Amino acid sequence: MIAALKFVHLAGISCWAAGLIALALLMLVFGTTNDEDDYVEYRLFTHVTYISFVTPAALIAIVSGTALCFAAGIFEPWLLLKLAFVAGMVLVHTWLGHLIQRSGEERRSKWFTAPFAGLALVPLICAVIGLALVKPQAATLSDLLPAQLLSVREGAAP
């Protein structure tokens, strides 16, 4: 059961990440067309890809990841950090969806923020994959924090 959940989770994350990067590239390259027929095709392709491929992949990744956490009983500090990076991916996902929706409402020659979404995705995806593969211990994670965050303040209750 856990192996099947891992497979579904890995497939969902892979499709989600690839779809988000592809959408950012599509908006950069094909959003610049001046031909009306090409723009309608671009608009339809990005909308259908976002609605029928990228969003379901995100839902599959998140639901299977949640089920995997409970099935395997994994509740470690690295998982919370991984979830923070996944939340960043969700924010970029929403940002791209907003840009795709706006591309249907207003015609522009370029979507300048779409490449920034792609650039924001690369470190997020690397962090999610890295944390899932390395699974650092809590002591390793606490070494990354400044000493001020780990020390007890004066007058604080013990």
Side-chain angles (χ1 to χ4, degrees), residues 3-64:
L5 280 173
K6 282 183 181 181
F7 175 77
V8 170
H9 183 62
L10 182 62
I13 287 283
S14 300
C15 290
W16 184 26
L20 287 176
I21 291 173
L23 281 174
L25 290 174
L26 277 171
M27 291 192 76
L28 175 67
V29 175
F30 295 108
T32 60
T33 183
N34 291 324
D35 184 26
E36 188 64 34
D37 291 335
D38 288 344
Y39 192 80
V40 168
E41 185 177 338
Y42 146 78
R43 170 66 182 115
L44 181 64
F45 186 72
T46 54
H47 179 73
V48 169
T49 302
Y50 183 80
I51 295 296
S52 62
F53 181 73
V54 178
T55 301
L59 291 174
I60 288 170
I62 292 170
V63 169
S64 64

Side-chain angles (χ1 to χ4, degrees), residues 64-85:
S64 64
T66 304
L68 187 60
C69 287
F70 285 106
I74 301 171
F75 303 101
E76 301 289 329
W78 65 266
L79 181 62
L80 294 175
L81 189 58
K82 178 185 169 192
L83 290 177
F85 287 115

Side-chain angles (χ1 to χ4, degrees), residues 11-12 31 35 44-45 62-63 91 95 111 113-114 117 120 125-126 149 156:
D35 184 26
L44 181 64
F45 186 72
I62 292 170
V63 169
L91 289 174
W95 181 18
W111 291 94
T113 57
I125 293 168
C126 290
L149 294 177

